[in-house]
Every structure is written in C-alpha cells, then in structure tokens.
C-alpha cells in the first residue's frame, strides 16, 4: 500500500500545494526505508534496527514541515519550527555522545518525534481544519500504536506461541495498513476522485 500511495501521490503532484508535495517526498522516502528494512531483514534477520532512525527522523522532519505549512496560526508555526530544531539538535548530540544507540531502538527518539507529530495532528483536528483531516486521523491512530510497540522494541514481545506465534509487531503492521488506507482516502479527497 505504501508503494501504491507513493505512486498515486507522485503521479498527481503537478500543480498541488506544498503540503501535498511534502507528502509525496515523505511517502517516497518511507518506501525506500521500508524496502531496505525488508531486504536487510530478510538477508540478515535482526540487523536492520538502524533503519528505524532514518524512518523516525525522515518522518519527523518532513511531517514537521508539513504541519508548519498546514497551520495558519503563527504561534503554532513557531512552535513546530522550534521543536524541529531542538529535537534535531538533541538527537544529533545523543548519537554523537552515545554511538551505540545507532544499533538499537532509541526510545527517546521514538517518544519525542512520535508524540510531537501526534500533537501536531491533534492541533490540526481541533482546529476543525478539513484539509488533510484523513491523513491526520490516520497518523494519530497509527502513531499511538506504533509508539508503544517501537518503544518496547528492544525486547522480544511474543504474545502467544501456541497454536502459532503471534508477536506484537503484527499489530504494528495492521495499524500501518489502516494508516495507508487513510492516506489513500486523503488522496481521493485531494484529487477529487
């Protein structure tokens, strides 16, 4: 679904607003990260954790820019830019002082970036802004589940082993599919289809 959404959004990007174009870049970069994650995970299982940093950071930077352009309120714009700079500096410092974090899930990175994006999406919904509302709802639904799962991702979270193995990552995949469906619905609204 991510590939389909990437293609659909990029195909219709000409003449669209800045937020739409940011979503095109966002979806394309996420697809590239997901592709490499699956390839590395298949070739060498459990050695693809480092890609989560690219995922969370690309997502945070691009969606911060998205919400910066979406918000009309100057105070919200300043808040988004300030958080973008502060969080980026904090994470850069953290990786500089503790390079070993690169090979595991960084719960600070996951928590800060995810919660801020959920806050921005919530701001947009509370403004009753009809623009990109499907995307914002989908983002909140996915990130609320994803944040918990990724923050506990340095542990093995298997829920059952009999009659078959069910681990918590299955839920992340299900919520990600829901998120992609909401992104698709947003595309239909934005393109009038």
């Amino acid at each position: 679904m991510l590939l389909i959404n990437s293609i659909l959004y990029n195909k219709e990007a000409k003449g669209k607003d800045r937020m739409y174009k940011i979503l095109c870049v966002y979806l394309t970069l996420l697809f590239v990260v997901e592709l490499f994650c699956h390839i590395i995970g298949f070739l060498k299982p459990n050695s693809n954790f480092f890609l989560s940093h690219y995922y969370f950071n690309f997502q945070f930077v691009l969606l911060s820019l998205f919400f910066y352009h979406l918000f009309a309120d100057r105070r919200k714009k300043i808040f988004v830019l300030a958080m973008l700079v502060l969080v980026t500096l904090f994470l850069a410092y953290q990786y500089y002082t503790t390079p070993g974090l690169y090979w595991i899930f960084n719960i600070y990175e996951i928590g800060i970036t995810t919660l801020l994006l959920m806050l921005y999406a919530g701001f947009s919904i509370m403004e009753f802004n009809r623009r990109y509302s499907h995307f914002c709802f989908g983002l909140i639904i996915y990130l609320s589940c994803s944040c918990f799962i990724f923050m506990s991702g340095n542990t093995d979270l298997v829920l059952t082993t009999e009659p078959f193995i069910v681990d918590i990552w299955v839920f992340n995949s299900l919520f990600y599919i829901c998120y992609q469906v909401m992104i698709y619905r947003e595309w239909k609204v934005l393109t009038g289809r």
Side-chain angles (χ1 to χ4, degrees):
M1 289 222 41
L2 177 57
L3 175 60
I4 291 168
N5 281 336
S6 297
I7 292 168
L8 290 174
Y9 270 79
N10 280 291
K11 201 169 119 179
E12 300 284 333
K14 190 174 182 178
K16 297 293 184 191
D17 62 20
R18 229 179 248 177
M19 284 95 51
Y20 186 96
K21 291 178 181 176
I22 290 170
L23 284 183
C24 289
V25 174
Y26 166 69
L27 292 170
T28 303
L29 284 175
L30 286 189
F31 175 74
V32 170
V33 170
E34 287 284 331
L35 180 65
F36 281 112
C37 183
H38 288 289
I39 291 169
I40 293 170
F42 178 75
L43 296 174
K44 195 170 180 190
N46 296 324
S47 63
N48 57 1
F49 288 138
F50 72 96
L51 289 171
S52 69
H53 310 300
Y54 297 102
Y55 174 85
F56 284 105
N57 287 300
F58 283 152
Q59 179 171 264
F60 180 67
V61 169
L62 290 170
L63 293 184
S64 291
L65 294 173
F66 170 84
F67 284 110
Y68 172 81
H69 291 293
L70 183 63
F71 293 143
D73 184 355
R74 186 167 157 36
R75 291 173 297 176
K76 288 179 184 167
K77 285 179 173 280
I78 291 170
F79 178 73
V80 169
L81 280 181
M83 290 298 103
L84 178 59
V85 170
L86 288 173
V87 169
T88 302
L89 289 174
F90 170 74
L91 292 174
Y93 174 76
Q94 197 178 34
Y95 285 109
Y96 177 75
T97 59
T98 315
L101 285 175
Y102 188 70
W103 302 107
I104 62 172
F105 288 128
N106 181 349
I107 60 171
Y108 296 110
E109 172 185 61
I110 295 164
I112 293 169
T113 60
T114 301
L115 293 175
L116 281 171
L117 291 176
M118 287 172 57
L119 180 68
Y120 302 159
F123 282 165
S124 179
I125 291 168
M126 286 189 304
E127 287 180 348
F128 301 104
N129 187 349
R130 307 238 351 129
R131 293 174 60 204
Y132 297 96
S133 61
H134 290 95
F135 175 77
C136 290
F137 277 118
L139 186 67
I140 290 172
I141 291 166
Y142 169 64
L143 290 181
S144 59
C145 169
S146 173
C147 183
F148 167 73
I149 292 171
F150 273 96
M151 288 182 74
S152 59
N154 291 321
T155 60
D156 187 26
L157 292 174
V158 176
L159 299 178
T160 67
T161 56
E162 294 297 330
F164 52 87
I165 295 176
V166 175
D167 76 27
I168 202 161
W169 290 98
V170 168
F171 296 104
N172 188 59
S173 297
L174 291 173
F175 279 96
Y176 196 71
I177 290 168
C178 291
Y179 178 42
Q180 291 302 316
V181 168
M182 294 301 282
I183 290 172
Y184 174 73
R185 289 186 67 193
E186 190 66 59
W187 175 80
K188 288 181 77 167
V189 169
L190 293 170
T191 58
R193 297 192 182 196

